[in-house]
Amino acid sequence: MAAFAPPPGTADIFEDEARRWRRMERTAAEVFGRYGYGELRTPIFEYTEVFQRGLGDETEVVRKEMYTFTDRGGRSLTLRPEGTAGVMRALSNTDVLNGVEQRVYYHGPMVRGERPAAGRRRQFHQIGVENVGRCAPLIDAECIAMLMNFLREIGLGDAELIINTRGAQDDRGPAVELLRNYFASHIDTMCDDCRERLQRNVWRILDCKQPRCAAVVAEAPDYIACFSEESRAYFDEVRRALEALEVPFRSDRRLVRGLDYYVHTVFELVHPALGAQTAIAGGGRYELFLPGASRPVPGVGFAAGGERLLLAQDALGCGGETQEPAVVYLIGLGAAARLANLVLADRLRRCGIPVALELEERSFKAQLRGANRSGAPLAVVRGDSELAAGRVLVKTMATGEQREVPDTEIFDCIKNFAENE
Ligand code: HAM
């Protein structure tokens, strides 16, 4: 059996779930569209340097989690672990370099070699947006409010928003020094990962989830105090705008996010249904160097994890949607009847009417069972004798009532029924 299971951390998505994905993607397109975002589809793999340069060589994703391979020409390619770097690569071919704002959204599979767990997959799906080319606190606040509106529309309005600031690039030096000095003096009591982080990326110590590190992290010095006055004012303005938009939030200095491109505003969303350790969405403001640009291009955006949104909906018992049953089930006895049914079904389906029918030779009883299973309110029975008489039998499934209808009228009869349903 194991040979037929998909690889660990991946899943097959069947219709009942796929319908929920489509609905979520439709809602995203509608909500984001109101803010002027249009869809962008980027390749599922990129040249490896797009992610190395974009996410930073020191990020966990780049160091440990990328699926990288070499193509026949010897170029290194990587399956996309996230959407932002590819979107920025695509936008480098637009006039975003001249300061023209671009608003794009995307959805699709992302791939990271993580240890699979509940809500953590190797192939997962993100719904994300990027607002690129401009930088202002109100743009950040608008982006966050849009995410909250999307979550509300899919039944997850009680998600908790956590925000923080990473300051500007120039603010980093003094903040890193402050944090490194502090953590270096406590490192003996901390976990192995934090020892490594002290050397490589001291910020990540702040979001260490190990209990033995928690007390040290809780007492960490206020690094935001070393940021420039402009950076602190930027963050204040974001918070004021969120208050004006009536978006509740909690500020948390431990939120630093896992990707290196962030500056200023960072945020994450958690939901009570999944617990505080599992973010359903995350994002922030960033700066990325694009080929051909003399200075970094600013942007702000987020991505929500589709699987986690579905898990939260499951826990709340919302988001389910049953498939619309066929309006009519066509029963055919004999080859000529089946062919006539195939043609009738095609005409009806071209008018947008869902039809189910049996195309293989089956007994009347078996076909009636199929009609019952399909949930269609009507069944049409056509056998050789009906065919010869130019008539069909129409059965109302709920009452069992039957009547004969001339073959020439059956199309309109079903169409009228479907329109008045
Ligand atoms: P991220 O925090 O790495 O950010 O991922 C965003 C969301 O994707 C997470 O909050 C989570 O819901 C989901 N996610 C991440 N990894 C997994 C996984 N292994 N299994 C299931 N779900 C997962 C980014 O990817 C940034 N590109 C977001 C962004 C856009 N920032 C600015 N613009």
PDB file of all heavy atoms in Angstrom, residues 34-69:
ATOM      1  N   ARG A  34     -10.850  44.176  -4.937  1.00  0.00           N
ATOM      2  CA  ARG A  34     -11.411  45.460  -4.479  1.00  0.00           C
ATOM      3  C   ARG A  34     -10.323  46.462  -4.123  1.00  0.00           C
ATOM      4  O   ARG A  34     -10.556  47.657  -4.050  1.00  0.00           O
ATOM      5  CB  ARG A  34     -12.276  45.233  -3.233  1.00  0.00           C
ATOM      6  CG  ARG A  34     -13.585  44.554  -3.523  1.00  0.00           C
ATOM      7  CD  ARG A  34     -14.336  44.315  -2.218  1.00  0.00           C
ATOM      8  NE  ARG A  34     -15.009  43.050  -2.264  1.00  0.00           N
ATOM      9  CZ  ARG A  34     -15.249  42.252  -1.227  1.00  0.00           C
ATOM     10  NH1 ARG A  34     -14.888  42.629  -0.017  1.00  0.00           N
ATOM     11  NH2 ARG A  34     -15.858  41.119  -1.382  1.00  0.00           N
ATOM     12  N   TYR A  35      -9.121  45.942  -3.847  1.00  0.00           N
ATOM     13  CA  TYR A  35      -7.997  46.824  -3.499  1.00  0.00           C
ATOM     14  C   TYR A  35      -7.065  47.039  -4.693  1.00  0.00           C
ATOM     15  O   TYR A  35      -5.965  47.557  -4.549  1.00  0.00           O
ATOM     16  CB  TYR A  35      -7.188  46.206  -2.349  1.00  0.00           C
ATOM     17  CG  TYR A  35      -7.916  46.133  -1.029  1.00  0.00           C
ATOM     18  CD1 TYR A  35      -8.877  45.157  -0.788  1.00  0.00           C
ATOM     19  CD2 TYR A  35      -7.647  47.036  -0.010  1.00  0.00           C
ATOM     20  CE1 TYR A  35      -9.538  45.077   0.425  1.00  0.00           C
ATOM     21  CE2 TYR A  35      -8.297  46.958   1.214  1.00  0.00           C
ATOM     22  CZ  TYR A  35      -9.240  45.969   1.413  1.00  0.00           C
ATOM     23  OH  TYR A  35      -9.883  45.887   2.622  1.00  0.00           O
ATOM     24  N   GLY A  36      -7.490  46.580  -5.849  1.00  0.00           N
ATOM     25  CA  GLY A  36      -6.696  46.827  -7.049  1.00  0.00           C
ATOM     26  C   GLY A  36      -5.620  45.790  -7.346  1.00  0.00           C
ATOM     27  O   GLY A  36      -4.718  46.053  -8.140  1.00  0.00           O
ATOM     28  N   TYR A  37      -5.700  44.609  -6.698  1.00  0.00           N
ATOM     29  CA  TYR A  37      -4.698  43.566  -6.948  1.00  0.00           C
ATOM     30  C   TYR A  37      -5.152  42.672  -8.099  1.00  0.00           C
ATOM     31  O   TYR A  37      -6.298  42.253  -8.153  1.00  0.00           O
ATOM     32  CB  TYR A  37      -4.495  42.703  -5.697  1.00  0.00           C
ATOM     33  CG  TYR A  37      -3.714  43.393  -4.611  1.00  0.00           C
ATOM     34  CD1 TYR A  37      -4.325  44.349  -3.793  1.00  0.00           C
ATOM     35  CD2 TYR A  37      -2.367  43.122  -4.405  1.00  0.00           C
ATOM     36  CE1 TYR A  37      -3.614  45.001  -2.787  1.00  0.00           C
ATOM     37  CE2 TYR A  37      -1.644  43.773  -3.409  1.00  0.00           C
ATOM     38  CZ  TYR A  37      -2.279  44.708  -2.618  1.00  0.00           C
ATOM     39  OH  TYR A  37      -1.578  45.363  -1.635  1.00  0.00           O
ATOM     40  N   GLY A  38      -4.234  42.391  -9.024  1.00  0.00           N
ATOM     41  CA  GLY A  38      -4.501  41.473 -10.132  1.00  0.00           C
ATOM     42  C   GLY A  38      -3.636  40.233  -9.984  1.00  0.00           C
ATOM     43  O   GLY A  38      -2.604  40.258  -9.302  1.00  0.00           O
ATOM     44  N   GLU A  39      -4.039  39.151 -10.635  1.00  0.00           N
ATOM     45  CA  GLU A  39      -3.329  37.878 -10.441  1.00  0.00           C
ATOM     46  C   GLU A  39      -2.011  37.814 -11.219  1.00  0.00           C
ATOM     47  O   GLU A  39      -1.923  38.319 -12.338  1.00  0.00           O
ATOM     48  CB  GLU A  39      -4.224  36.711 -10.875  1.00  0.00           C
ATOM     49  CG  GLU A  39      -3.572  35.372 -10.565  1.00  0.00           C
ATOM     50  CD  GLU A  39      -4.456  34.172 -10.861  1.00  0.00           C
ATOM     51  OE1 GLU A  39      -5.612  34.345 -11.262  1.00  0.00           O
ATOM     52  OE2 GLU A  39      -3.944  33.049 -10.693  1.00  0.00           O
ATOM     53  N   LEU A  40      -1.027  37.194 -10.595  1.00  0.00           N
ATOM     54  CA  LEU A  40       0.239  36.907 -11.269  1.00  0.00           C
ATOM     55  C   LEU A  40       0.572  35.436 -11.047  1.00  0.00           C
ATOM     56  O   LEU A  40       0.540  34.959  -9.911  1.00  0.00           O
ATOM     57  CB  LEU A  40       1.361  37.788 -10.695  1.00  0.00           C
ATOM     58  CG  LEU A  40       2.771  37.506 -11.224  1.00  0.00           C
ATOM     59  CD1 LEU A  40       2.883  37.757 -12.727  1.00  0.00           C
ATOM     60  CD2 LEU A  40       3.801  38.366 -10.491  1.00  0.00           C
ATOM     61  N   ARG A  41       0.843  34.717 -12.137  1.00  0.00           N
ATOM     62  CA  ARG A  41       1.261  33.315 -12.007  1.00  0.00           C
ATOM     63  C   ARG A  41       2.728  33.209 -12.395  1.00  0.00           C
ATOM     64  O   ARG A  41       3.070  33.496 -13.538  1.00  0.00           O
ATOM     65  CB  ARG A  41       0.417  32.418 -12.913  1.00  0.00           C
ATOM     66  CG  ARG A  41      -1.036  32.461 -12.529  1.00  0.00           C
ATOM     67  CD  ARG A  41      -1.880  31.501 -13.318  1.00  0.00           C
ATOM     68  NE  ARG A  41      -3.268  31.692 -12.937  1.00  0.00           N
ATOM     69  CZ  ARG A  41      -4.195  30.755 -12.947  1.00  0.00           C
ATOM     70  NH1 ARG A  41      -3.883  29.550 -13.360  1.00  0.00           N
ATOM     71  NH2 ARG A  41      -5.425  31.022 -12.567  1.00  0.00           N
ATOM     72  N   THR A  42       3.544  32.826 -11.454  1.00  0.00           N
ATOM     73  CA  THR A  42       4.979  32.697 -11.745  1.00  0.00           C
ATOM     74  C   THR A  42       5.327  31.209 -11.826  1.00  0.00           C
ATOM     75  O   THR A  42       4.553  30.363 -11.376  1.00  0.00           O
ATOM     76  CB  THR A  42       5.839  33.377 -10.648  1.00  0.00           C
ATOM     77  OG1 THR A  42       5.597  32.713  -9.420  1.00  0.00           O
ATOM     78  CG2 THR A  42       5.530  34.850 -10.530  1.00  0.00           C
ATOM     79  N   PRO A  43       6.509  30.867 -12.378  1.00  0.00           N
ATOM     80  CA  PRO A  43       6.874  29.452 -12.511  1.00  0.00           C
ATOM     81  C   PRO A  43       6.994  28.759 -11.158  1.00  0.00           C
ATOM     82  O   PRO A  43       7.300  29.409 -10.151  1.00  0.00           O
ATOM     83  CB  PRO A  43       8.240  29.505 -13.197  1.00  0.00           C
ATOM     84  CG  PRO A  43       8.325  30.851 -13.811  1.00  0.00           C
ATOM     85  CD  PRO A  43       7.516  31.774 -12.961  1.00  0.00           C
ATOM     86  N   ILE A  44       6.801  27.453 -11.184  1.00  0.00           N
ATOM     87  CA  ILE A  44       6.928  26.646  -9.960  1.00  0.00           C
ATOM     88  C   ILE A  44       8.400  26.467  -9.584  1.00  0.00           C
ATOM     89  O   ILE A  44       8.741  26.164  -8.462  1.00  0.00           O
ATOM     90  CB  ILE A  44       6.191  25.295 -10.148  1.00  0.00           C
ATOM     91  CG1 ILE A  44       6.248  24.418  -8.914  1.00  0.00           C
ATOM     92  CG2 ILE A  44       6.666  24.530 -11.360  1.00  0.00           C
ATOM     93  CD1 ILE A  44       5.222  24.757  -7.904  1.00  0.00           C
ATOM     94  N   PHE A  45       9.317  26.664 -10.545  1.00  0.00           N
ATOM     95  CA  PHE A  45      10.750  26.669 -10.185  1.00  0.00           C
ATOM     96  C   PHE A  45      11.424  27.891 -10.798  1.00  0.00           C
ATOM     97  O   PHE A  45      10.952  28.450 -11.780  1.00  0.00           O
ATOM     98  CB  PHE A  45      11.466  25.376 -10.600  1.00  0.00           C
ATOM     99  CG  PHE A  45      11.347  25.020 -12.057  1.00  0.00           C
ATOM    100  CD1 PHE A  45      12.218  25.549 -12.996  1.00  0.00           C
ATOM    101  CD2 PHE A  45      10.363  24.138 -12.486  1.00  0.00           C
ATOM    102  CE1 PHE A  45      12.116  25.208 -14.339  1.00  0.00           C
ATOM    103  CE2 PHE A  45      10.245  23.789 -13.827  1.00  0.00           C
ATOM    104  CZ  PHE A  45      11.118  24.327 -14.756  1.00  0.00           C
ATOM    105  N   GLU A  46      12.491  28.289 -10.141  1.00  0.00           N
ATOM    106  CA  GLU A  46      13.253  29.487 -10.550  1.00  0.00           C
ATOM    107  C   GLU A  46      14.732  29.118 -10.512  1.00  0.00           C
ATOM    108  O   GLU A  46      15.119  28.118  -9.903  1.00  0.00           O
ATOM    109  CB  GLU A  46      13.042  30.637  -9.552  1.00  0.00           C
ATOM    110  CG  GLU A  46      11.616  31.128  -9.390  1.00  0.00           C
ATOM    111  CD  GLU A  46      11.230  32.199 -10.408  1.00  0.00           C
ATOM    112  OE1 GLU A  46      12.106  32.645 -11.179  1.00  0.00           O
ATOM    113  OE2 GLU A  46      10.049  32.584 -10.426  1.00  0.00           O
ATOM    114  N   TYR A  47      15.577  29.968 -11.105  1.00  0.00           N
ATOM    115  CA  TYR A  47      17.011  29.810 -10.879  1.00  0.00           C
ATOM    116  C   TYR A  47      17.257  29.945  -9.377  1.00  0.00           C
ATOM    117  O   TYR A  47      16.664  30.816  -8.714  1.00  0.00           O
ATOM    118  CB  TYR A  47      17.812  30.880 -11.636  1.00  0.00           C
ATOM    119  CG  TYR A  47      17.769  30.666 -13.136  1.00  0.00           C
ATOM    120  CD1 TYR A  47      17.325  31.668 -13.988  1.00  0.00           C
ATOM    121  CD2 TYR A  47      18.168  29.453 -13.684  1.00  0.00           C
ATOM    122  CE1 TYR A  47      17.279  31.472 -15.368  1.00  0.00           C
ATOM    123  CE2 TYR A  47      18.132  29.238 -15.050  1.00  0.00           C
ATOM    124  CZ  TYR A  47      17.681  30.245 -15.884  1.00  0.00           C
ATOM    125  OH  TYR A  47      17.631  30.033 -17.225  1.00  0.00           O
ATOM    126  N   THR A  48      18.134  29.087  -8.853  1.00  0.00           N
ATOM    127  CA  THR A  48      18.348  29.026  -7.404  1.00  0.00           C
ATOM    128  C   THR A  48      18.721  30.393  -6.824  1.00  0.00           C
ATOM    129  O   THR A  48      18.310  30.753  -5.723  1.00  0.00           O
ATOM    130  CB  THR A  48      19.436  27.969  -7.087  1.00  0.00           C
ATOM    131  OG1 THR A  48      18.961  26.721  -7.594  1.00  0.00           O
ATOM    132  CG2 THR A  48      19.722  27.860  -5.612  1.00  0.00           C
ATOM    133  N   GLU A  49      19.485  31.190  -7.613  1.00  0.00           N
ATOM    134  CA  GLU A  49      19.947  32.467  -7.040  1.00  0.00           C
ATOM    135  C   GLU A  49      18.783  33.432  -6.759  1.00  0.00           C
ATOM    136  O   GLU A  49      18.923  34.335  -5.939  1.00  0.00           O
ATOM    137  CB  GLU A  49      21.018  33.137  -7.913  1.00  0.00           C
ATOM    138  CG  GLU A  49      20.592  33.500  -9.316  1.00  0.00           C
ATOM    139  CD  GLU A  49      21.059  32.474 -10.353  1.00  0.00           C
ATOM    140  OE1 GLU A  49      21.227  31.287  -9.953  1.00  0.00           O
ATOM    141  OE2 GLU A  49      21.261  32.830 -11.531  1.00  0.00           O
ATOM    142  N   VAL A  50      17.630  33.218  -7.410  1.00  0.00           N
ATOM    143  CA  VAL A  50      16.472  34.083  -7.129  1.00  0.00           C
ATOM    144  C   VAL A  50      16.110  33.972  -5.644  1.00  0.00           C
ATOM    145  O   VAL A  50      15.830  34.974  -4.977  1.00  0.00           O
ATOM    146  CB  VAL A  50      15.259  33.696  -8.020  1.00  0.00           C
ATOM    147  CG1 VAL A  50      13.981  34.380  -7.560  1.00  0.00           C
ATOM    148  CG2 VAL A  50      15.565  34.025  -9.483  1.00  0.00           C
ATOM    149  N   PHE A  51      16.160  32.744  -5.105  1.00  0.00           N
ATOM    150  CA  PHE A  51      15.810  32.563  -3.692  1.00  0.00           C
ATOM    151  C   PHE A  51      16.987  32.870  -2.787  1.00  0.00           C
ATOM    152  O   PHE A  51      16.814  33.448  -1.713  1.00  0.00           O
ATOM    153  CB  PHE A  51      15.308  31.132  -3.451  1.00  0.00           C
ATOM    154  CG  PHE A  51      14.103  30.815  -4.292  1.00  0.00           C
ATOM    155  CD1 PHE A  51      14.162  29.851  -5.290  1.00  0.00           C
ATOM    156  CD2 PHE A  51      12.914  31.513  -4.110  1.00  0.00           C
ATOM    157  CE1 PHE A  51      13.060  29.574  -6.074  1.00  0.00           C
ATOM    158  CE2 PHE A  51      11.806  31.238  -4.905  1.00  0.00           C
ATOM    159  CZ  PHE A  51      11.874  30.269  -5.895  1.00  0.00           C
ATOM    160  N   GLN A  52      18.202  32.487  -3.233  1.00  0.00           N
ATOM    161  CA  GLN A  52      19.376  32.775  -2.390  1.00  0.00           C
ATOM    162  C   GLN A  52      19.496  34.273  -2.162  1.00  0.00           C
ATOM    163  O   GLN A  52      19.670  34.746  -1.050  1.00  0.00           O
ATOM    164  CB  GLN A  52      20.648  32.263  -3.061  1.00  0.00           C
ATOM    165  CG  GLN A  52      20.831  30.783  -2.892  1.00  0.00           C
ATOM    166  CD  GLN A  52      21.972  30.252  -3.745  1.00  0.00           C
ATOM    167  OE1 GLN A  52      22.319  30.845  -4.766  1.00  0.00           O
ATOM    168  NE2 GLN A  52      22.537  29.142  -3.343  1.00  0.00           N
ATOM    169  N   ARG A  53      19.383  35.030  -3.272  1.00  0.00           N
ATOM    170  CA  ARG A  53      19.523  36.482  -3.182  1.00  0.00           C
ATOM    171  C   ARG A  53      18.321  37.074  -2.471  1.00  0.00           C
ATOM    172  O   ARG A  53      18.433  37.958  -1.640  1.00  0.00           O
ATOM    173  CB  ARG A  53      19.627  37.041  -4.602  1.00  0.00           C
ATOM    174  CG  ARG A  53      20.398  38.318  -4.721  1.00  0.00           C
ATOM    175  CD  ARG A  53      20.440  38.809  -6.148  1.00  0.00           C
ATOM    176  NE  ARG A  53      19.159  38.660  -6.817  1.00  0.00           N
ATOM    177  CZ  ARG A  53      18.986  38.176  -8.044  1.00  0.00           C
ATOM    178  NH1 ARG A  53      20.020  37.793  -8.746  1.00  0.00           N
ATOM    179  NH2 ARG A  53      17.799  38.093  -8.590  1.00  0.00           N
ATOM    180  N   GLY A  54      17.133  36.557  -2.790  1.00  0.00           N
ATOM    181  CA  GLY A  54      15.895  37.139  -2.261  1.00  0.00           C
ATOM    182  C   GLY A  54      15.710  36.871  -0.779  1.00  0.00           C
ATOM    183  O   GLY A  54      15.421  37.784  -0.010  1.00  0.00           O
ATOM    184  N   LEU A  55      15.864  35.622  -0.370  1.00  0.00           N
ATOM    185  CA  LEU A  55      15.556  35.278   1.022  1.00  0.00           C
ATOM    186  C   LEU A  55      16.762  35.403   1.934  1.00  0.00           C
ATOM    187  O   LEU A  55      16.620  35.440   3.152  1.00  0.00           O
ATOM    188  CB  LEU A  55      15.003  33.846   1.123  1.00  0.00           C
ATOM    189  CG  LEU A  55      13.952  33.405   0.112  1.00  0.00           C
ATOM    190  CD1 LEU A  55      13.386  32.056   0.498  1.00  0.00           C
ATOM    191  CD2 LEU A  55      12.839  34.414  -0.010  1.00  0.00           C
ATOM    192  N   GLY A  56      17.960  35.416   1.335  1.00  0.00           N
ATOM    193  CA  GLY A  56      19.182  35.553   2.139  1.00  0.00           C
ATOM    194  C   GLY A  56      19.784  34.180   2.414  1.00  0.00           C
ATOM    195  O   GLY A  56      19.076  33.239   2.783  1.00  0.00           O
ATOM    196  N   ASP A  57      21.121  34.071   2.232  1.00  0.00           N
ATOM    197  CA  ASP A  57      21.811  32.784   2.395  1.00  0.00           C
ATOM    198  C   ASP A  57      21.687  32.213   3.803  1.00  0.00           C
ATOM    199  O   ASP A  57      21.843  31.017   4.015  1.00  0.00           O
ATOM    200  CB  ASP A  57      23.316  32.974   2.098  1.00  0.00           C
ATOM    201  CG  ASP A  57      23.538  33.034   0.586  1.00  0.00           C
ATOM    202  OD1 ASP A  57      22.774  32.381  -0.130  1.00  0.00           O
ATOM    203  OD2 ASP A  57      24.473  33.737   0.159  1.00  0.00           O
ATOM    204  N   GLU A  58      21.450  33.096   4.768  1.00  0.00           N
ATOM    205  CA  GLU A  58      21.451  32.644   6.157  1.00  0.00           C
ATOM    206  C   GLU A  58      20.087  32.168   6.638  1.00  0.00           C
ATOM    207  O   GLU A  58      19.948  31.716   7.769  1.00  0.00           O
ATOM    208  CB  GLU A  58      21.948  33.774   7.083  1.00  0.00           C
ATOM    209  CG  GLU A  58      23.435  34.042   6.961  1.00  0.00           C
ATOM    210  CD  GLU A  58      24.260  32.782   7.228  1.00  0.00           C
ATOM    211  OE1 GLU A  58      23.945  32.038   8.172  1.00  0.00           O
ATOM    212  OE2 GLU A  58      25.214  32.521   6.468  1.00  0.00           O
ATOM    213  N   THR A  59      19.061  32.307   5.811  1.00  0.00           N
ATOM    214  CA  THR A  59      17.736  31.886   6.294  1.00  0.00           C
ATOM    215  C   THR A  59      17.666  30.364   6.306  1.00  0.00           C
ATOM    216  O   THR A  59      18.304  29.690   5.497  1.00  0.00           O
ATOM    217  CB  THR A  59      16.589  32.401   5.403  1.00  0.00           C
ATOM    218  OG1 THR A  59      16.831  31.944   4.087  1.00  0.00           O
ATOM    219  CG2 THR A  59      16.483  33.890   5.409  1.00  0.00           C
ATOM    220  N   GLU A  60      16.857  29.861   7.257  1.00  0.00           N
ATOM    221  CA  GLU A  60      16.693  28.416   7.403  1.00  0.00           C
ATOM    222  C   GLU A  60      16.172  27.806   6.107  1.00  0.00           C
ATOM    223  O   GLU A  60      16.614  26.747   5.679  1.00  0.00           O
ATOM    224  CB  GLU A  60      15.687  28.149   8.526  1.00  0.00           C
ATOM    225  CG  GLU A  60      16.044  26.953   9.333  1.00  0.00           C
ATOM    226  CD  GLU A  60      16.103  27.297  10.817  1.00  0.00           C
ATOM    227  OE1 GLU A  60      17.057  28.042  11.184  1.00  0.00           O
ATOM    228  OE2 GLU A  60      15.216  26.854  11.560  1.00  0.00           O
ATOM    229  N   VAL A  61      15.249  28.514   5.463  1.00  0.00           N
ATOM    230  CA  VAL A  61      14.646  27.993   4.236  1.00  0.00           C
ATOM    231  C   VAL A  61      15.735  27.742   3.195  1.00  0.00           C
ATOM    232  O   VAL A  61      15.808  26.672   2.600  1.00  0.00           O
ATOM    233  CB  VAL A  61      13.588  28.980   3.676  1.00  0.00           C
ATOM    234  CG1 VAL A  61      13.101  28.529   2.310  1.00  0.00           C
ATOM    235  CG2 VAL A  61      12.413  29.129   4.629  1.00  0.00           C
ATOM    236  N   VAL A  62      16.622  28.711   3.000  1.00  0.00           N
ATOM    237  CA  VAL A  62      17.658  28.574   1.970  1.00  0.00           C
ATOM    238  C   VAL A  62      18.712  27.547   2.392  1.00  0.00           C
ATOM    239  O   VAL A  62      19.161  26.728   1.599  1.00  0.00           O
ATOM    240  CB  VAL A  62      18.313  29.941   1.669  1.00  0.00           C
ATOM    241  CG1 VAL A  62      19.542  29.779   0.781  1.00  0.00           C
ATOM    242  CG2 VAL A  62      17.298  30.868   1.019  1.00  0.00           C
ATOM    243  N   ARG A  63      19.084  27.538   3.654  1.00  0.00           N
ATOM    244  CA  ARG A  63      20.156  26.635   4.094  1.00  0.00           C
ATOM    245  C   ARG A  63      19.730  25.179   4.152  1.00  0.00           C
ATOM    246  O   ARG A  63      20.511  24.294   3.856  1.00  0.00           O
ATOM    247  CB  ARG A  63      20.658  27.070   5.481  1.00  0.00           C
ATOM    248  CG  ARG A  63      21.553  28.317   5.404  1.00  0.00           C
ATOM    249  CD  ARG A  63      22.049  28.738   6.774  1.00  0.00           C
ATOM    250  NE  ARG A  63      22.527  27.624   7.554  1.00  0.00           N
ATOM    251  CZ  ARG A  63      22.105  27.343   8.780  1.00  0.00           C
ATOM    252  NH1 ARG A  63      21.179  28.086   9.358  1.00  0.00           N
ATOM    253  NH2 ARG A  63      22.603  26.328   9.439  1.00  0.00           N
ATOM    254  N   LYS A  64      18.453  24.950   4.554  1.00  0.00           N
ATOM    255  CA  LYS A  64      18.099  23.555   4.850  1.00  0.00           C
ATOM    256  C   LYS A  64      16.898  23.014   4.108  1.00  0.00           C
ATOM    257  O   LYS A  64      16.672  21.817   4.099  1.00  0.00           O
ATOM    258  CB  LYS A  64      17.807  23.434   6.357  1.00  0.00           C
ATOM    259  CG  LYS A  64      18.959  23.775   7.244  1.00  0.00           C
ATOM    260  CD  LYS A  64      18.580  23.532   8.688  1.00  0.00           C
ATOM    261  CE  LYS A  64      19.649  24.028   9.638  1.00  0.00           C
ATOM    262  NZ  LYS A  64      19.121  24.262  10.966  1.00  0.00           N
ATOM    263  N   GLU A  65      16.071  23.865   3.537  1.00  0.00           N
ATOM    264  CA  GLU A  65      14.763  23.349   3.132  1.00  0.00           C
ATOM    265  C   GLU A  65      14.479  23.392   1.639  1.00  0.00           C
ATOM    266  O   GLU A  65      13.394  23.014   1.216  1.00  0.00           O
ATOM    267  CB  GLU A  65      13.662  24.133   3.876  1.00  0.00           C
ATOM    268  CG  GLU A  65      13.731  23.928   5.373  1.00  0.00           C
ATOM    269  CD  GLU A  65      12.790  24.830   6.143  1.00  0.00           C
ATOM    270  OE1 GLU A  65      12.088  25.651   5.518  1.00  0.00           O
ATOM    271  OE2 GLU A  65      12.763  24.714   7.375  1.00  0.00           O
ATOM    272  N   MET A  66      15.419  23.858   0.814  1.00  0.00           N
ATOM    273  CA  MET A  66      15.078  24.011  -0.598  1.00  0.00           C
ATOM    274  C   MET A  66      15.265  22.707  -1.372  1.00  0.00           C
ATOM    275  O   MET A  66      16.196  21.951  -1.129  1.00  0.00           O
ATOM    276  CB  MET A  66      15.916  25.110  -1.220  1.00  0.00           C
ATOM    277  CG  MET A  66      15.617  26.475  -0.609  1.00  0.00           C
ATOM    278  SD  MET A  66      15.882  27.862  -1.704  1.00  0.00           S
ATOM    279  CE  MET A  66      17.566  27.720  -2.169  1.00  0.00           C
ATOM    280  N   TYR A  67      14.378  22.468  -2.293  1.00  0.00           N
ATOM    281  CA  TYR A  67      14.521  21.357  -3.233  1.00  0.00           C
ATOM    282  C   TYR A  67      15.238  21.899  -4.462  1.00  0.00           C
ATOM    283  O   TYR A  67      14.637  22.595  -5.284  1.00  0.00           O
ATOM    284  CB  TYR A  67      13.144  20.803  -3.625  1.00  0.00           C
ATOM    285  CG  TYR A  67      12.540  19.932  -2.556  1.00  0.00           C
ATOM    286  CD1 TYR A  67      11.736  20.471  -1.560  1.00  0.00           C
ATOM    287  CD2 TYR A  67      12.789  18.564  -2.537  1.00  0.00           C
ATOM    288  CE1 TYR A  67      11.189  19.674  -0.571  1.00  0.00           C
ATOM    289  CE2 TYR A  67      12.253  17.752  -1.550  1.00  0.00           C
ATOM    290  CZ  TYR A  67      11.447  18.311  -0.577  1.00  0.00           C
ATOM    291  OH  TYR A  67      10.907  17.519   0.397  1.00  0.00           O
ATOM    292  N   THR A  68      16.531  21.620  -4.540  1.00  0.00           N
ATOM    293  CA  THR A  68      17.373  22.192  -5.591  1.00  0.00           C
ATOM    294  C   THR A  68      17.898  21.079  -6.490  1.00  0.00           C
ATOM    295  O   THR A  68      18.237  20.010  -6.002  1.00  0.00           O
ATOM    296  CB  THR A  68      18.537  22.970  -4.932  1.00  0.00           C
ATOM    297  OG1 THR A  68      17.959  24.055  -4.194  1.00  0.00           O
ATOM    298  CG2 THR A  68      19.506  23.536  -5.947  1.00  0.00           C
ATOM    299  N   PHE A  69      17.921  21.334  -7.770  1.00  0.00           N
ATOM    300  CA  PHE A  69      18.441  20.339  -8.718  1.00  0.00           C
ATOM    301  C   PHE A  69      19.116  21.079  -9.879  1.00  0.00           C
ATOM    302  O   PHE A  69      18.961  22.301 -10.009  1.00  0.00           O
ATOM    303  CB  PHE A  69      17.316  19.436  -9.236  1.00  0.00           C
ATOM    304  CG  PHE A  69      16.172  20.187  -9.855  1.00  0.00           C
ATOM    305  CD1 PHE A  69      16.072  20.287 -11.240  1.00  0.00           C
ATOM    306  CD2 PHE A  69      15.197  20.792  -9.076  1.00  0.00           C
ATOM    307  CE1 PHE A  69      15.023  20.990 -11.815  1.00  0.00           C
ATOM    308  CE2 PHE A  69      14.142  21.491  -9.642  1.00  0.00           C
ATOM    309  CZ  PHE A  69      14.049  21.589 -11.014  1.00  0.00           C
TER     310      PHE A  69
END
